[in-house]
Amino acid sequence: MSLIGTSDLVHDAAAAGSAVAAFNVITLEHIEAVVRGAEAAAAPVIIQISENAVRFHSGLVMPLAAAAAALARTSGYGVGLHLDHVTDLDLLRQAADAGFSSAMFDAGNLSYADNVARTVEAAQWAHANGLWLEAELGYVGGKPDAPASAHAAGVRTDRAEALTFVRDTGVDALAVAVGSSHAMTTRTAALDHALIAELAEALPVPLVLHGSSGVPDEELARAVTAGMRKINIGTALNIAYTHGVRQFLDRDPKTVDPRKYLADARTEMAQVVEHMLHTISKPVTAG
Ligand SMILES: [Zn+2]
C-alpha cells in the first residue's frame, strides 16, 4: 500500500461513515510508532508534521518528511503525509517536493476577511501543485505562541460563516471549533455534537477535529458518528513518549544508551496509536 493521498484516505473514510486518524510526529520514534500502531490496528493513517515541528528541526522540513515517506513505504496499509498548521507560505511551497499530499493552512487566528484572503492564496497554490488543502475557521485554542485573544473559551464555528468560507476559499476540508482545544493533557473535553452534525450536514467538505488528545474515547467515537472525517492527535503521543522515558529512567537512572528508554517511549506511543485507531474506526450508535 505505502504512500496514499490524504484526499483518498479521507474520501474512503467518509464513504465508510468513519474517520482517518492523523498523528503529529516530532522525532523518528514518533514516525515508527505511528506506522507500527497502524499496522497493529490494520488501519490506514496520516502522519502529520507541523510547522512548529519543522521549526524544532532548525526550519528544515525535508529530513523528517523523508523519514516519514520512507517508513510509510514499509507499511502494509495506506499512509498519508500531511503538513500541519502552516502559517508560512514559503514552507507550504516546499510541501509538494517534500512528499506531502496535503497541508493545513492556518490563518484561523486572523480576522475573517484576512483568513479568507490568505487561505485563498494558499488554496490556489496548493491546487495548482496537486495538494489537498485543509483550513481552519473558528479558532481551536491551545497552540503555543497564539495570541491570547484567540483563547477565548467556548469558541464555536458558525454554520453560515463556515459555508461562505468554504465557498469563497475553495478549500478541501475544514477544521472547526466544536469544543476541543490543542495541547490538553487531560481527556476531559466535551464536544458540541449537535453543532458537528449541523456542520457536517451543511458543508460540502469533510470536517476535521483538532485537539483530539483532550477528548475522551466515547466523545471521539460520537464525533465520528456525527460527521468528523479527520481526527488530529498530537499531545497524546507526547504524553506516552515522556511517560515511557520517565518510567525507564526512574527505574534505571544510570542508563545512558538512549535506545533503551526510546524503545519504551516508542512502544507506548504505538499502543496509543493502535488504541486511538480502534476508537475512531469502531462502529458506534448515534447518541
Ligand atoms: Zn491542530
Side-chain angles (χ1 to χ4, degrees):
M1 288 290 280
S2 78
L3 270 176
I4 302 283
T6 295
S7 169
D8 291 336
L9 293 175
V10 173
H11 182 268
D12 290 352
S18 184
V20 59
F23 293 94
N24 282 82
V25 300
I26 303 171
T27 69
L28 180 61
E29 287 71 26
H30 281 79
I31 300 169
E32 291 169 329
V34 173
V35 172
R36 287 181 190 182
E39 290 205 306
V45 75
I46 293 170
I47 296 173
Q48 312 197 126
I49 299 173
S50 72
E51 183 174 294
N52 283 337
V54 173
R55 283 201 196 116
F56 170 72
H57 290 289
S58 308
L60 298 175
V61 65
M62 199 55 103
L64 206 57
L71 279 159
R73 290 192 187 95
T74 69
S75 175
Y77 298 89
V79 181
L81 286 192
H82 178 83
L83 188 60
D84 193 31
H85 279 293
V86 178
T87 61
D88 179 355
L89 283 166
D90 287 339
L91 175 61
L92 181 65
R93 291 187 190 101
Q94 297 174 49
D97 290 339
F100 296 95
S101 61
S102 60
M104 184 270 191
F105 187 70
D106 182 356
N109 63 334
L110 300 179
S111 69
Y112 179 82
D114 289 343
N115 188 351
V116 170
R118 294 269 294 164
T119 304
V120 164
E121 192 180 349
Q124 285 176 347
W125 185 89
H127 294 157
N129 289 273
L131 291 180
W132 182 93
L133 196 85
E134 173 187 331
E136 177 174 303
L137 183 68
Y139 189 73
V140 184
K143 289 198 297 293
D145 308 324
S149 60
H151 283 269
V155 171
R156 294 288 185 271
T157 299
D158 177 75
R159 182 178 62 87
E161 192 175 67
L163 191 53
T164 308
F165 181 84
V166 168
R167 283 182 180 154
D168 288 352
T169 58
V171 295
D172 303 296
L174 192 66
V176 290
V178 293
S180 60
S181 185
H182 289 101
M184 282 181 70
T185 54
T186 57
R187 301 187 70 192
T188 51
L191 300 179
D192 190 335
H193 297 283
L195 178 58
I196 296 170
E198 195 186 319
L199 292 168
E201 168 84 28
L203 297 181
V205 296
L207 301 182
V208 184
L209 185 66
H210 284 232
S212 309
S213 294
V215 182
D217 285 347
E218 56 279 14
E219 286 282 291
L220 277 182
R222 282 184 67 194
V224 174
T225 302
M228 281 291 171
R229 296 297 171 237
K230 177 169 174 275
I231 306 288
N232 287 12
I233 298 155
T235 303
L237 294 193
N238 296 333
I239 291 170
Y241 183 115
T242 305
H243 182 261
V245 172
R246 187 172 280 134
Q247 290 279 105
F248 189 99
L249 292 177
D250 280 350
R251 232 172 23 240
D252 189 355
K254 290 203 171 69
T255 294
V256 294
D257 184 345
R259 286 171 294 194
K260 299 260 167 70
Y261 51 83
L262 289 180
D264 282 12
R266 187 171 56 194
T267 298
E268 291 209 20
M269 287 190 286
Q271 287 165 351
V272 170
V273 170
E274 184 182 359
H275 175 80
M276 287 293 203
L277 286 167
H278 284 311
T279 300
I280 288 162
S281 56
K282 82 180 174 194
V284 286
T285 47

